[in-house]
Amino acid sequence: MAGFQGLLHLHLFVIALSVLLLIARYGLQMANSDKVNHRFFKAMPHAVDTCIILTGIGLIMVSGVMPFTEAGRWLTEKLSCVLAYFALGYFALHMCNNKVLKTFAFLGALGWLVMAAQLAMTKVPFLG
């Protein structure tokens, strides 16, 4: 059980770090800062998001709850939310030139993350 708790806390820490990096990069881009091109902001988000995936896989293996099964429907939806968070975050930071569209994509990414958190806490799927 201690291994699960440690892995869970690591997972939550890297999620918080990912959100902080997304907010920082978004803020720097909105301010037209050159700091957004710093090597730290180019490499660290990829490492952190990889850690989210790896700790998530570890939690799946330790807990035994499998996505794409009847018992793991909430986890399947959570994975979809996390993929949407990654996609909208990428869209907001790399593909949008318009600040309004960038803002909507950024807020959408945070919304998907909140939905993933809700699923993780309640373990009740939204889609039935």
Side-chain angles (χ1 to χ4, degrees):
M1 193 60 152
F4 176 80
Q5 288 296 321
L7 195 55
L8 178 62
H9 285 101
L10 179 61
H11 187 65
L12 294 174
F13 174 75
V14 293
I15 290 169
L17 196 55
S18 175
V19 172
L20 287 174
L21 286 168
L22 178 68
I23 292 169
R25 292 167 68 200
Y26 169 77
L28 289 171
Q29 283 189 358
M30 293 303 281
N32 294 322
S33 173
D34 289 334
K35 292 184 192 279
V36 77
N37 294 322
H38 191 273
R39 211 171 104 181
F40 174 82
F41 287 115
K42 294 288 185 183
M44 185 57 83
H46 299 293
V48 169
D49 290 345
T50 300
C51 287
I52 289 175
I53 294 168
L54 293 176
T55 56
I57 291 170
L59 286 169
I60 288 170
M61 296 176 95
V62 171
S63 70
V65 178
M66 299 302 289
F68 308 106
T69 63
E70 187 62 31
R73 285 185 308 151
W74 67 271
L75 187 55
T76 305
E77 289 184 18
K78 183 183 173 203
L79 288 172
S80 300
C81 292
V82 171
L83 291 176
Y85 164 71
F86 288 157
L88 279 174
Y90 180 83
F91 186 77
L93 297 175
H94 297 287
M95 299 182 77
C96 292
N97 295 327
N98 180 330
K99 286 190 175 186
V100 172
L101 188 57
K102 184 182 292 281
T103 299
F104 277 112
F106 169 74
L107 294 174
L110 293 180
W112 281 107
L113 190 66
V114 168
M115 191 168 163
Q118 179 70 23
L119 284 163
M121 290 187 291
T122 64
K123 297 185 180 30
V124 176
F126 287 112
L127 301 176

